[in-house]
Amino acid sequence: MTVQQQGTGASSDRAKHWHSIDWVRCHREVRRLQARIVKATQNGKHGKVKALQWLLTHSFSGKALAVKRVTGNRGKRTPGVDGVTWSTPGAKLRAVLSLKRRGYRPRPLRRIYIPKADGEKMRPLGIPCMVDRAWQALHLLALEPVAETTADPNSYGFRSARSTHDAIERCFEVLAKADRAQWILEADIRSCFDEISHDWLVANVPMDKAILRRWLKAGYLHNRVFHSTEAGTPQGGIVSPTLMNLTLDGLERTLQAKFHRGERNASKINIIRYADDFVITGVTREVLVDEVWPVVEQFLAERGLLLSPEKTRVTHIGEGFDFLGMNVRKYDGKLLIKPADTSVQRFLRKLRDVVKGNATARQDWLIRKLNPLIQGWANYYRHIVSKRIFSKVSRAIWLCLWRWARRRHPNKGARWVRQKYFRTVDARHWVFGTETGKKLSTGKLELLTLYDIASSPIRRHRKIKAAANPFDLQWESYFEQRLGLAMLDSLKGRIRLIRLWLNQERACPVCHQMITKSSGWRLFHLERVVDGGTDASRNLVMLHPDCHRIARGRRVSVVKPAPEMGL
């Protein structure tokens, strides 16, 4: 697929307008430099890594992609202490041209607090200014290839193409069989983001030391009062998760060096880490308490971190443990992974709050509000033993909606309420749904129904290979295949969209990067509807959300290739 840009004669480094930037060239140049950084890191050429990082962070392409990221994510409208956001094309281009290292001084963070998952405690977030976010995104482009190359094999949090499901699959691998470890050390690091040693970060993180030191010492403002920062990296910064991963990387290699003898692992020590949450398996309780625990404490102490004595404990697999919202436990020797009870109750509380908060809302509006919540929760837990839980949750949702409907009509009988709010669809009765008023091609009214969580299929997750590196060119085809399968799964049953995606060779015609489930997509009309364009497939293309905004700004014309079959 090719893109013809109206008024784009200049190269990306001489762009006169935000919409005239050659994004294909930007991605290609950054990708090439990242691949070279990976190769230099693998060969131990640290001086070359530093030189390549300097080239990337001083390139127009890197700066443009950094600004594009911070102006296209969810926090693009959230200002820092200066109250500035970049919402216009002119402001974005000026931001790209203003990213110069000389004279750069980060501003203090804007401190806010959000509730933690338990709803009781509050989590501090530091909101950087837009310019500081752009600088972090720029240096992250150069830092991530190094972090991915040197990362622990079984670290899964805040890493490209890895997820909680990969971590849970790893738990299954090391615990499922009868000859595997029976004891687990559940570790909890006390205030990990807030306590990381600044001296350790500056000495060990492979990036521009002066820039890193300025970020760490920027401080924060809370209630208009300045607070200095002597330790930690703020939650809310783009680069903070990678800094935290680099801090904890090496723990797995430390344990292997002490407890593994070549291919032998007599103590059955294995670690599965997701960000700052990790579990370690062991053959006996004594091995974990007397040998592993001190090693972990010493490793963390060098980085200014401590284990929480209240939350760190050793558990037998027969009792089970909760990890990433899932319960891992053996029942009579068989390992079953289910949604954790606390996660189920938290989800139902959230759902009931939504229903109670919309006591007078229209039924179709409530369904549209609930469906993304229910489907998203089902998608997260559909890779484990969840069928029975899904049925129980479905029953709880039905009871909640039945009470909602009865409260709206206290003077009506149950039969009348059922006929108004519930439908029969195929063999399913008591389906919460309503007609939208839109006629289908068959002449019938469109029926909007609540997502049926009980019918969600259970499908085993395919774990990512431990050595896979998304910045290494030798793994490119592996990730393309993996992301393609995930995209096809997300479009299952939507044949028209699948054909459209395949006809585009699975790529966005604006930036030529792959459209994936995680990247998201939007449909773009080649000929605008107001100009007579239709919703026919020949008038539609799939674009990334941010590329959709760019396309609308410059009205690209897309030359679509002949349809191709298959992947």
Side-chain angles (χ1 to χ4, degrees), residues 29-89:
E29 289 182 351
V30 170
R31 174 72 171 161
R32 178 176 58 85
L33 285 170
Q34 288 177 328
R36 293 178 64 190
I37 290 172
V38 169
K39 189 173 182 180
T41 304
Q42 292 170 339
N43 295 333
K45 299 180 179 179
H46 304 298
K48 189 173 183 179
V49 170
K50 186 176 180 179
L52 291 169
Q53 287 180 323
W54 190 94
L55 285 175
L56 200 161
T57 55
H58 286 72
S59 68
F60 178 90
S61 296
K63 294 175 182 178
L65 290 180
V67 172
K68 185 181 179 184
R69 174 174 178 175
V70 301
T71 57
N73 58 19
R74 293 175 59 185
K76 61 185 177 182
R77 295 187 180 90
T78 305
V81 294
D82 58 358
V84 174
T85 58
W86 300 332
S87 56
T88 65

Side-chain angles (χ1 to χ4, degrees), residues 1 24 44 73 111 126 136 168 182-183 194 276 334-336 357 381 386-387 407 435 537 566:
M1 180 168 294
V24 177
N73 58 19
R111 174 62 64 91
Q136 291 188 20
I168 292 298
Q182 299 294 305
W183 292 89
D194 298 330
D276 57 340
K334 184 175 182 178
L335 185 72
L336 297 181
Y381 289 106
S386 303
K387 201 66 177 178
R407 280 196 298 267
E435 290 76 14
S537 297

Side-chain angles (χ1 to χ4, degrees), residues 191-205 212 216-217 230-233 243 247 300-305:
S191 303
C192 180
F193 278 92
D194 298 330
E195 300 295 336
I196 300 175
S197 167
H198 285 180
D199 292 338
W200 190 94
L201 286 172
V202 172
N204 293 276
V205 173
L212 177 59
L216 297 175
K217 300 298 183 182
E230 302 302 327
T233 175
L243 294 179
T247 303
L300 296 177
E302 295 172 0
R303 292 151 175 80
L305 300 174

Side-chain angles (χ1 to χ4, degrees), residues 245-383:
N245 269 335
L246 286 167
T247 303
L248 297 181
D249 282 335
L251 178 57
E252 183 172 357
R253 290 188 290 272
T254 300
L255 293 173
Q256 287 179 344
K258 182 172 179 61
F259 296 101
H260 290 212
R261 298 292 181 268
E263 297 296 324
R264 294 181 65 251
N265 182 12
S267 299
K268 301 177 182 178
I269 303 298
N270 294 284
I271 180 172
I272 304 100
R273 180 169 69 84
Y274 189 91
D276 57 340
D277 293 330
F278 60 91
V279 295
I280 303 175
T281 66
V283 65
T284 63
R285 180 185 182 89
E286 289 70 28
V287 166
L288 291 175
V289 174
D290 300 333
E291 300 182 41
V292 174
W293 197 319
V295 172
V296 174
E297 285 186 324
Q298 181 181 354
F299 178 90
L300 296 177
E302 295 172 0
R303 292 151 175 80
L305 300 174
L306 293 171
L307 288 176
S308 170
E310 298 83 12
K311 297 180 180 179
T312 302
R313 59 181 188 144
V314 176
T315 309
H316 191 269
I317 191 62
E319 300 175 15
F321 63 96
D322 289 349
F323 186 49
L324 303 177
M326 306 180 202
N327 181 261
V328 184
R329 182 181 175 185
K330 273 190 176 179
Y331 299 82
D332 296 325
K334 184 175 182 178
L335 185 72
L336 297 181
I337 304 177
K338 304 177 181 180
D341 289 340
T342 53
S343 299
V344 175
Q345 296 306 318
R346 189 184 306 124
F347 170 67
L348 289 177
R349 280 198 303 270
K350 182 177 181 180
L351 217 62
R352 288 173 183 133
D353 289 342
V354 171
V355 173
K356 290 178 181 178
N358 293 278
T360 60
R362 290 201 326 243
Q363 185 181 6
D364 61 332
W365 195 93
L366 180 61
I367 292 174
R368 290 189 175 96
K369 187 81 172 176
L370 293 176
N371 273 350
L373 298 177
I374 299 172
Q375 191 168 2
W377 194 83
N379 286 341
Y380 184 78
Y381 289 106
R382 65 176 180 156
H383 302 294

Side-chain angles (χ1 to χ4, degrees), residues 6 17-20 89 510 524 528 543 546-556:
Q6 298 177 359
H17 194 276
W18 176 255
H19 294 317
S20 71
V510 173
F524 178 77
R528 295 185 301 177
L543 305 178
D546 197 48
C547 293
H548 185 275
R549 288 187 286 270
I550 293 172
R552 291 188 65 183
R554 70 188 183 195
R555 294 308 300 175
V556 300

